[in-house]
Amino acid sequence: MTTPDFATCDLCDARKNDTSGEFRVLPPVFKDFGQRRKFAGPVSTVKCFEDNTLVKAAVDSPGEGRVLVVDGGGSLRRALLGGNLGAAAAKNGWAGVVIDGCVRDVAELAVCDTGIRALASMPLPTEKRNEGQRDVAVQIQGVWVRPGDWLYADEDGIVIVAAPPA
């Protein structure tokens, strides 16, 4: 995978007066855990709470350069992604994974050739209840993210655009 050519600051400068709702910026609460600091792609979503069954199903499928956005309800009690799933995301061509929740196996995630952002690390795994939804509109830290939106992440932050900039 090649590193995309963009800067979130430039995207924000170009769209700072956009009131259409087509351009959104996620709050600066996400930490970087993957090898890739900069990543972008069309969004696929998972909505789950302390159950990573659908996260595993997603990263085990072909990513095709997409970014998996996981609405984990902001839970700091269980990790939704660990080393095995991070490796699967990299192997299967996911550009990145953004989790409104926690990850684990931080040392393993650091060598995964994909972007990984989450709120924090938490060593406790999830319960497998086979609950959640896939490819639905989700709210991440109060910001709507929809399947097919484009996500851009770099050292400065994460922005969501309804369609990729020309």
Side-chain angles (χ1 to χ4, degrees):
M1 232 185 279
T2 59
T3 302
D5 185 25
F6 69 89
T8 57
C9 289
D10 292 344
L11 294 172
C12 287
D13 288 348
R15 306 284 292 267
K16 66 184 173 213
N17 297 318
D18 185 334
T19 58
S20 69
E22 306 266 308
F23 182 79
R24 291 147 275 155
V25 180
L26 293 184
V29 296
F30 294 92
K31 296 180 180 148
D32 210 335
F33 292 97
Q35 184 177 339
R36 287 183 180 268
R37 301 282 182 250
K38 186 174 191 172
F39 58 95
V43 168
S44 178
T45 65
V46 164
K47 183 180 175 96
C48 58
F49 187 75
E50 298 180 2
D51 175 353
N52 71 347
T53 307
L54 291 180
V55 175
K56 180 180 184 338
V59 299
D60 282 344
S61 69
E64 300 166 335
R66 292 176 293 164
V67 176
L68 181 64
V69 175
V70 180
D71 176 357
S75 173
L76 301 178
R77 300 186 311 193
R78 301 283 178 154
L80 293 171
L81 184 93
N84 292 338
L85 298 189
K91 179 177 77 87
N92 291 317
W94 288 88
V97 181
V98 175
I99 300 175
D100 191 11
C102 292
V103 296
R104 59 188 256 160
D105 303 320
V106 172
E108 292 174 39
L109 294 179
V111 298
C112 291
D113 189 18
T114 190
I116 301 169
R117 302 283 172 90
L119 298 177
S121 62
M122 161 50 77
L124 263 176
T126 66
E127 297 293 327
K128 308 289 191 272
R129 299 181 307 269
N130 207 22
E131 294 175 357
Q133 297 171 285
R134 181 116 185 241
D135 286 319
V136 295
V138 295
Q139 261 195 317
I140 304 298
Q141 296 290 310
V143 177
W144 282 103
V145 182
R146 294 169 182 85
D149 283 347
W150 274 68
L151 183 146
Y152 296 85
D154 66 10
E155 300 84 352
D156 288 306
I158 303 172
V159 301
I160 309 291
V161 182

